[in-house]
Amino acid sequence: DKFSQFGVDNDCLIFNDQNTNRISHLKTYSHIDIALDPFPFNGATTTFEALAMGVPVITLAGNSFVSRVAGSLLKSVNLDNLIAETKDEYVRLAKNLAFDIDTTEKLRKSLRSTLSNSDLCQGKAYTRTVEAAYRNMWKKWCVSFKTKKSK
């Protein structure tokens, strides 16, 4: 009823709770044109899955970690233009993309590859970054430990 109040036909909506396994869950993305990221608590896994399955995602950037996750993912695949700063912009971006069939089709064809080649999917580089962070934390702790001990 709420959707129909805003002019969305029932034919445009699918509420699907029949996914009994991972494969059927991921196949659902083939029926989705655009994913609308929830707010104020963004999707993380679902946003990543949508991008991996070639579905563009519109998100509203908030001011906390949980409301900026999807924006971080979109930035990683150079889709900053799908990150809204206001609710009105969120709606505008979704409407514009819904009517821009060419762009949506190009994104569907390229997103998986773009995501695979992004920093998000470069395990070795990520591991080196994490290792360097651990090394720096250890060095800082050692310096602070020596300082405390010498006092």
Side-chain angles (χ1 to χ4, degrees):
D1 290 342
K2 198 68 154 169
F3 283 100
S4 66
Q5 289 175 12
F6 291 95
V8 178
D9 293 334
N10 284 343
D11 297 351
C12 295
L13 300 171
I14 299 170
F15 295 96
N16 184 355
D17 64 351
Q18 302 302 312
N19 294 325
T20 56
N21 61 49
R22 185 95 176 120
I23 292 170
S24 66
H25 167 72
L26 292 175
K27 281 184 179 179
T28 301
Y29 285 100
S30 66
H31 301 288
I32 300 171
D33 297 317
I34 301 167
L36 301 176
D37 193 46
F39 56 86
F41 192 94
N42 286 177
T45 302
T46 54
T47 300
F48 187 88
E49 286 177 345
L51 296 172
M53 297 306 291
V55 178
V57 179
I58 305 290
T59 191
L60 174 62
N63 54 13
S64 65
F65 172 77
V66 297
S67 63
R68 298 187 73 80
V69 173
S72 295
L73 294 172
L74 289 170
K75 285 181 181 189
S76 294
V77 292
N78 299 313
L79 288 175
D80 304 55
N81 59 320
L82 300 182
I83 304 169
E85 297 297 327
T86 67
K87 290 178 182 177
D88 287 340
E89 185 182 12
Y90 179 89
V91 171
R92 182 181 55 73
L93 289 174
K95 282 183 176 180
N96 288 348
L97 190 56
F99 288 104
D100 189 347
I101 305 301
D102 290 337
T103 298
T104 304
E105 196 58 34
K106 285 177 189 170
L107 286 171
R108 288 195 70 84
K109 290 178 181 176
S110 66
L111 263 175
R112 179 176 285 200
S113 173
T114 302
L115 179 66
S116 294
N117 293 313
S118 75
D119 288 345
L120 288 172
C121 295
Q122 303 308 312
K124 288 181 182 179
Y126 175 76
T127 301
R128 284 193 294 275
T129 303
V130 171
E131 289 171 342
Y134 287 152
R135 199 170 303 109
N136 285 333
M137 286 184 264
W138 175 249
K139 287 177 182 177
K140 286 181 183 179
W141 183 86
C142 288
V143 168
S144 69
F145 182 77
K146 284 181 183 177
T147 305
K148 287 178 187 175
K149 220 173 176 188
S150 65
K151 287 183 181 182

